[in-house]
Amino acid sequence: MNMLGIKFVRQNLTNVKKAIENRGDHIDWEALINADDNRKNILLEIEALRHKRNVVSDQIAEMKKKGEAAAEAVAEMREVSGRIKTLDSTLSENDAIIQTILMQIPNMPHESVPIGQDENDNPVIRTVGALPDMPFEPKAHWDIGELLGILDFKRAARITGARFPLYLGQGALMERALINFMLDLHVNHHGYLEILPPFIVNRNSLTHTGQLPKFEADLFKLEGTDYYLIPTAEVPVTNIHHSEILQEDDLPLYYTAYTPCFRSEAGSHGKDTRGLIRQHQFNKVELVKFTKPENSYDELEQLLQNAEEVLQRLGLPYRVITLCTGDLGFSSAKTYDIEVWMPAQGVYREISSCSNFEDFQARRGNIRFRRNGRKGTEYVHTLNGSGLAVGRTFAAILENCQQGDGSVVVPEALRPYMRDMESISL
């Protein structure tokens, strides 16, 4: 269930170690190699003992047929069987060690991914759109939302706790409008099939896409079950085809889905505690692709353009960066981030990640395809991207489209979804 099978690791150990080192991850290579060597030695001994048991069993049968005493040989075979049983148990222990370590190894970065340590080493690919010219001090989106009566974080905190949003009136309308606008764009103009998946998934589904076992602390688990609230629609949508064999003519497959997303935000204490940027519950429209291996990087560029078009149609300024090796997600071979401009903070903030996982998720989820006229199967490549994070888009509209009188201009592309409303005002 891992892209980097033990055979691949052993045959490419130097390159694998270097690639994982560039990502800043630390793997117990010695324990992995020792367990694999032990496994090979145990298999050889088991094979020899089984051969011996077969030979001697035939001899015992022959001795009994001739009326000869076979007690000594029978006792020897009991010892051999006992030894095989012990070795089988030891083999299982070593297999478990190998599997546990392999499941901790992230995907290998594509050769085009820049080497770097963290987000400070992510190069900017392009910047799109002019920054808004505001002859006044821009307000933060949480202040704008509360002044307009369309966001209420205090009541949300009483209902649930910190980092949960409550949208009211025209705010609820705009959130819903954004979801419908994004889905319509991706379905009608980009060729995606709309999906409405379950919002709860099992452990296997999260393991297939790479959230488990490493990132369990980031998830909300339902007590007493093997179910989890989804952190992203990527999980249920990618698992639509787990353990299936697709046909070459089926590919590529494009899916888009709106879902709420649930994240514990473990390790983010003190970061973005106000507003809509880092919530425990948020809405997102996701894009997922299943492609042939030779096409996946062209498909990644197209996926990125599909996500960018949302911001272009809304008139929001943004930039595109490539994630360096040290900032790359666990399952990704290459990722572009789209960052939208937030005037109140004077910074660009992530609003979408578009990633090619190559066959990493497909191996874990056993998603394959068969080429026309050929025997055997190959693993598909999977890709996904946010198209977009809805709450962050909402926040970006409030900040970039705010006016000096406290009102917010509704982007033209969104007005048909908001009863032709041109602005939100007091």
Side-chain angles (χ1 to χ4, degrees):
M1 290 179 64
N2 192 284
M3 174 190 170
L4 303 184
I6 188 63
K7 182 178 179 181
F8 178 87
V9 171
R10 294 301 297 265
Q11 291 177 345
N12 303 275
L13 188 57
T14 301
N15 290 337
V16 172
K17 280 185 174 181
K18 183 62 177 175
I20 304 309
E21 180 185 324
N22 285 339
R23 294 183 58 119
D25 283 85
H26 302 284
I27 304 297
D28 192 342
W29 301 109
E30 184 177 358
L32 179 64
I33 300 307
N34 285 342
D36 187 47
D37 286 342
N38 290 340
R39 178 180 176 278
K40 290 176 181 176
N41 292 333
I42 291 169
L43 284 172
L44 288 174
E45 186 174 353
I46 289 175
E47 184 179 359
L49 288 171
R50 284 176 176 163
H51 175 71
K52 180 179 181 179
R53 184 171 61 182
N54 291 338
V55 170
V56 177
S57 294
D58 290 342
Q59 291 174 351
I60 291 172
E62 190 65 27
M63 291 169 73
K64 288 183 176 179
K65 187 177 180 181
K66 294 178 179 180
E68 299 174 358
E72 187 176 335
V74 170
E76 182 183 1
M77 282 305 92
R78 287 200 184 108
E79 289 183 12
V80 169
S81 294
R83 176 62 178 164
I84 290 173
K85 187 175 181 180
T86 300
L87 288 172
D88 280 335
S89 177
T90 308
L91 181 64
S92 295
E93 292 172 3
N94 280 274
D95 282 339
I97 292 171
I98 292 169
Q99 185 66 13
T100 296
I101 296 175
L102 286 178
M103 292 296 284
Q104 297 295 328
I105 300 177
N107 203 350
M108 301 228 345
H110 187 261
E111 59 185 10
S112 65
V113 174
I115 296 174
Q117 294 184 341
D118 53 36
E119 61 186 14
N120 297 313
D121 297 324
N122 295 334
V124 177
I125 302 301
R126 58 180 169 272
T127 301
V128 179
L131 303 187
D133 182 18
M134 296 180 176
F136 55 88
E137 184 71 23
K139 292 184 176 69
H141 67 273
W142 53 84
D143 289 330
I144 299 170
E146 290 179 341
L147 286 169
L148 290 174
I150 60 176
L151 285 174
D152 193 329
F153 293 102
K154 291 180 181 178
R155 285 194 173 102
R158 288 206 301 269
I159 294 168
T160 310
R163 296 191 176 184
F164 286 89
L166 175 63
Y167 294 84
L168 306 169
Q170 294 170 337
L173 174 61
M174 181 180 283
E175 182 85 355
R176 176 160 56 91
L178 282 167
I179 293 167
N180 289 331
F181 163 67
M182 293 176 189
L183 287 173
D184 284 353
L185 176 62
H186 298 313
V187 170
N188 297 332
H189 296 275
H190 300 152
Y192 290 79
L193 177 68
E194 184 176 351
I195 302 294
L196 185 60
F199 302 160
I200 296 173
V201 293
N202 59 35
R203 175 174 289 272
N204 281 341
S205 293
L206 286 156
T207 303
H208 296 160
T209 48
Q211 280 80 11
L212 289 178
K214 190 170 184 179
F215 302 104
E216 184 147 12
D218 293 325
L219 303 171
F220 285 110
K221 189 174 192 296
L222 303 187
E223 187 175 0
T225 73
D226 196 34
Y227 293 160
Y228 297 78
L229 298 178
I230 60 169
T232 166
E234 168 198 346
V235 180
V237 177
T238 302
N239 277 281
I240 288 173
H241 295 296
H242 89 78
S243 299
E244 291 184 8
I245 299 176
L246 304 170
Q247 300 303 314
E248 181 176 9
D249 291 341
D250 295 333
L251 301 175
L253 290 170
Y254 299 164
Y255 295 141
T256 185
Y258 151 71
T259 67
C261 304
F262 306 89
R263 298 182 187 178
S264 71
E265 293 293 346
S268 66
H269 304 294
K271 294 167 69 175
D272 301 318
T273 54
R274 300 192 68 184
L276 297 169
I277 299 300
R278 200 178 296 274
Q279 296 281 294
H280 290 309
Q281 175 188 321
F282 59 95
N283 294 314
K284 186 153 64 79
V285 171
E286 195 76 1
L287 307 172
V288 175
K289 290 187 174 188
F290 299 81
T291 77
K292 292 189 287 187
E294 63 269 25
N295 299 333
S296 66
Y297 279 95
D298 288 338
E299 293 284 0
L300 176 61
E301 298 299 323
Q302 187 62 53
L303 176 70
L304 176 62
Q305 291 178 27
N306 296 158
E308 285 184 74
E309 189 173 340
V310 177
L311 292 173
Q312 291 166 4
R313 291 194 177 215
L314 293 173
L316 297 174
Y318 68 92
R319 69 181 186 182
V320 178
I321 64 173
T322 301
L323 298 195
C324 69
T325 53
D327 202 27
L328 206 57
F330 180 81
S331 300
S332 178
K334 183 172 184 177
T335 295
Y336 293 110
D337 269 9
I338 305 174
E339 298 180 334
V340 69
W341 176 249
M342 301 296 285
Q345 299 172 60
V347 295
Y348 287 94
R349 300 303 302 264
E350 178 198 336
I351 198 166
S352 173
S353 283
C354 298
S355 301
N356 185 355
F357 306 109
E358 296 186 358
D359 62 2
F360 187 86
Q361 294 178 330
R363 286 180 180 272
R364 292 166 76 110
N366 194 26
I367 309 170
R368 295 170 289 159
F369 77 101
R370 182 177 286 111
R371 292 188 187 270
N372 296 332
R374 294 193 197 175
K375 293 181 179 180
T377 60
E378 300 174 42
Y379 289 105
V380 301
H381 279 196
T382 61
L383 302 89
N384 88 272
S386 307
L388 302 166
V390 182
R392 294 188 178 194
T393 308
F394 183 104
I397 289 173
L398 294 193
E399 292 203 10
N400 284 277
C401 301
Q402 63 181 296
Q403 305 299 300
D405 62 2
S407 65
V408 173
V409 173
V410 175
E412 285 190 27
L414 210 55
R415 292 175 188 176
Y417 296 88
M418 292 188 64
R419 305 167 193 152
D420 296 322
M421 195 178 298
E422 295 183 3
S423 67
I424 299 175
S425 56
L426 293 169

